[in-house]
Amino acid sequence: MRYEDLDYRLVTGNEDPLQDNITVENPILIGVHAPESKVYIKLNTENRIAIDTDEGGKFEYAFDDLKVDDVLSLQIKNGSKYDEFWQEVIRE
């Protein structure tokens, strides 16, 4: 179940693409975006990781190590730049 008070959704008005909270104990990202597309994940200042969505738009990624206050940015590539469509701060 997702947090009710997601600052990013309240500020941007964007729909929440994630199914579950991502935590230190549950470092698995599961979400939905455009079918058969690429989603780029950026953890803090590390390089982006590209993952493909399936025909239904589902994507998954398991992180090796997350810490409280880590920032995940979900992005799509738009020409030569990356547009963020969701940001998640690890709370617990």
Side-chain angles (χ1 to χ4, degrees), residues 51-74:
I51 55 175
D52 294 318
T53 64
D54 67 14
E55 61 188 24
K58 183 178 178 182
F59 59 91
E60 293 185 39
Y61 186 80
F63 292 94
D64 292 328
D65 184 37
L66 290 177
K67 296 174 185 65
V68 172
D69 292 329
D70 278 348
V71 178
L72 298 174
S73 174
L74 302 181

Side-chain angles (χ1 to χ4, degrees), residues 12-43:
T12 65
N14 290 354
E15 288 298 316
D16 183 358
L18 305 180
Q19 296 177 354
D20 292 313
N21 293 322
I22 305 163
T23 66
V24 173
E25 297 295 319
N26 179 35
I28 300 171
L29 171 76
I30 301 172
V32 177
H33 193 60
E36 298 179 339
S37 64
K38 282 208 183 296
V39 172
Y40 297 86
I41 303 168
K42 187 168 184 157
L43 175 62

Side-chain angles (χ1 to χ4, degrees), residues 70-89:
D70 278 348
V71 178
L72 298 174
S73 174
L74 302 181
Q75 305 171 353
I76 55 171
K77 192 168 185 178
N78 185 2
S80 62
K81 66 178 189 148
Y82 294 87
D83 294 329
E84 182 176 77
F85 66 91
W86 191 256
Q87 186 181 95
E88 186 87 354
V89 177

